[in-house]
Amino acid sequence: MFPILLASFISNALTPRSPPRRRPPPGRVSKGRAKPINLALQGGGAHGAFTWGVLDQLLDDGRIGIEGIADFWRAVSVDGHLGSLQRGVVERLFPFVPGDGLWFTAMSRMLSPYDLNPLNINPLKELIERFVDFEAIRRDRGLELFISATNVQTGELRVFTRAEITAEVVMASAALPLLFRAVEIDGVPYWDGGYSGNPVVTPFLRATATEDALIVQINPRERRNVPTRTREIMSRVNEINFNASLLSELRGVAFVNRLIDEGRLPRGTRAGEFRRLKLHRIVMEDLGEAFGARSTLKTDYEYFETLHKLGQRATRRFLDAHFDDIGRRSTIDLAAKVEPELVE
């Protein structure tokens, strides 16, 4: 996902842009048909190009107003048009990102990022600081933004709010431990947030007025075939591990919804009150080995474009099937996704 984020930033900075779309105030629908919704966006390396397609399609559709975003640092470009990727940026700035998963796996067993990059040189961070106005992000009270990272020392989840977002937070949220050194924030080292919250959903129980949350899931929920080769087994293990935190988030939402239904928690938007979340999902389904876990390290532009189109297509299918459900009911059957005792 590094190339996509960075190229998008540069595109927005260098390409003439149309006037930004007007976003309805938090929790309120505009005079048109726009419906407010929160986005919980799962990370997954190059597969984030699928989410790029989802975001572009949601914005182009014009019927959705985004109130809160969790776990996706491309969200800093969401207020307005997301400019097209610049092929030259992708091809020139990312030759250091390993494109061959097998080669990277073998190398990472012998050398760590501390061995390969003793000076901790990170051109991504420098470019993000140059092209992203983090001060403007922190000032924008019309959009809630949450980015997660994993505390290396304790393994606990840290959710950074909009007011805390910096370039260091962005880099910490995507610091894969075999590819990047841990990022220190206030003396605490952090790794990729995907290990502990991928994505986080529970902040929406208290932080935004809207009760609808759309999860964009790029790690497949299911694989049709049982993996038998070592490479396939490891890929599926990685997918299961990165989906585990999302299942935990769904259990938490189901539990709070149940307490609200039983009258044991107050429902509302004031201090001490909780939202009864209605969850929706767009998922990157099993597309075969070409889109397996190994492909998350790909860096070629054509691959990004393919995933982008798949994300747009999946979003159109979702809106065709469930636009009328937004604001009315959940389209995820929580009873089938979490322990029965939490939702009976």
Side-chain angles (χ1 to χ4, degrees):
M1 194 55 236
F2 285 9
I4 295 168
L5 169 69
L6 189 55
S8 176
F9 287 157
I10 294 175
S11 295
N12 284 320
L14 301 182
T15 305
R17 298 171 60 187
S18 303
R21 294 181 176 89
R22 294 177 61 87
R23 186 172 57 245
R28 292 165 53 189
V29 180
S30 67
K31 293 182 180 180
R33 295 181 299 167
K35 293 185 177 183
I37 200 169
N38 296 314
L39 298 177
L41 307 173
Q42 193 174 60
H47 289 182
F50 178 86
T51 308
W52 167 38
V54 171
L55 290 180
D56 272 355
Q57 189 62 42
L58 288 175
L59 292 174
D60 289 342
D61 183 85
R63 293 180 291 168
I64 300 296
I66 301 170
E67 184 177 355
I69 301 178
D71 277 325
F72 196 60
W73 22 285
R74 223 181 85 88
V76 295
S77 299
V78 81
D79 188 12
H81 290 288
L82 304 181
S84 60
L85 281 170
Q86 300 294 321
R87 178 187 295 267
V89 172
V90 174
E91 292 180 345
R92 295 179 186 180
L93 293 182
F94 293 92
F96 67 92
V97 178
D100 188 322
L102 185 60
W103 170 82
F104 171 67
T105 300
M107 181 189 68
S108 64
R109 291 175 179 172
M110 298 180 292
L111 299 172
S112 79
Y114 295 84
D115 300 317
L116 296 172
N117 188 10
L119 299 180
N120 198 23
I121 298 172
N122 195 330
L124 294 175
K125 180 175 180 291
E126 296 172 4
L127 285 168
I128 289 173
E129 288 177 325
R130 179 179 177 184
F131 289 109
V132 179
D133 188 346
F134 287 100
E135 184 61 35
I137 294 171
R138 292 190 289 267
R139 288 197 308 265
D140 184 3
R141 298 181 180 274
L143 179 70
E144 292 299 333
L145 177 62
F146 305 96
I147 295 182
S148 63
T150 303
N151 186 316
V152 176
Q153 296 170 323
T154 66
E156 294 180 351
L157 171 69
R158 167 76 184 273
V159 179
F160 294 90
T161 63
R162 172 185 48 76
E164 299 173 301
I165 302 303
T166 62
E168 287 75 18
V169 170
V170 168
M171 298 310 301
S173 73
L176 291 170
L178 295 180
L179 190 58
F180 294 96
R181 297 172 60 158
V183 177
E184 286 199 8
I185 300 175
D186 297 328
V188 179
Y190 292 97
W191 277 338
D192 193 305
Y195 296 105
S196 52
N198 194 24
V200 292
V201 182
T202 50
F204 297 136
L205 291 168
R206 304 288 295 272
T208 61
T210 182
E211 293 188 324
D212 285 87
L214 172 61
I215 299 168
V216 180
Q217 185 173 350
I218 58 180
N219 287 323
R221 293 177 297 171
E222 300 177 0
R223 290 286 185 185
R224 291 187 289 268
N225 300 319
V226 176
T228 56
R229 293 183 296 176
T230 300
R231 187 182 304 171
E232 295 171 345
I233 292 171
M234 292 306 300
S235 292
R236 185 55 182 155
V237 167
N238 287 334
E239 290 172 347
I240 292 172
N241 286 339
F242 274 96
N243 277 338
S245 59
L246 174 57
L247 293 176
S248 177
E249 292 284 311
L250 294 180
R251 294 187 188 101
V253 170
F255 184 63
V256 170
N257 284 354
R258 176 183 172 182
L259 294 178
I260 290 175
D261 291 342
E262 295 175 350
R264 297 163 63 185
L265 275 182
R267 180 181 181 180
T269 60
R270 295 176 299 182
E273 295 180 331
F274 293 80
R275 290 52 158 172
R276 191 189 189 287
L277 292 185
K278 296 178 284 291
L279 299 181
H280 315 276
R281 172 159 46 194
I282 296 174
V283 63
M284 179 176 159
E285 296 288 2
D286 182 2
L287 299 173
E289 187 174 352
F291 297 90
R294 287 184 60 217
S295 64
T296 59
L297 292 174
K298 284 192 173 183
T299 59
D300 59 281
Y301 184 88
E302 289 76 13
Y303 187 73
F304 298 151
E305 284 188 320
T306 298
L307 286 172
H308 174 264
K309 292 177 182 177
L310 290 173
Q312 289 180 307
R313 189 181 309 162
T315 305
R316 288 193 293 268
R317 289 198 302 266
F318 169 79
L319 291 174
D320 288 344
H322 297 300
F323 177 77
D324 290 339
D325 294 318
I326 297 174
R328 296 173 52 197
R329 68 181 187 90
S330 175
T331 55
I332 295 179
D333 184 4
L334 284 179
K337 304 301 177 188
V338 300
E339 289 87 352
E341 62 267 19
L342 290 183
V343 294
E344 286 181 347

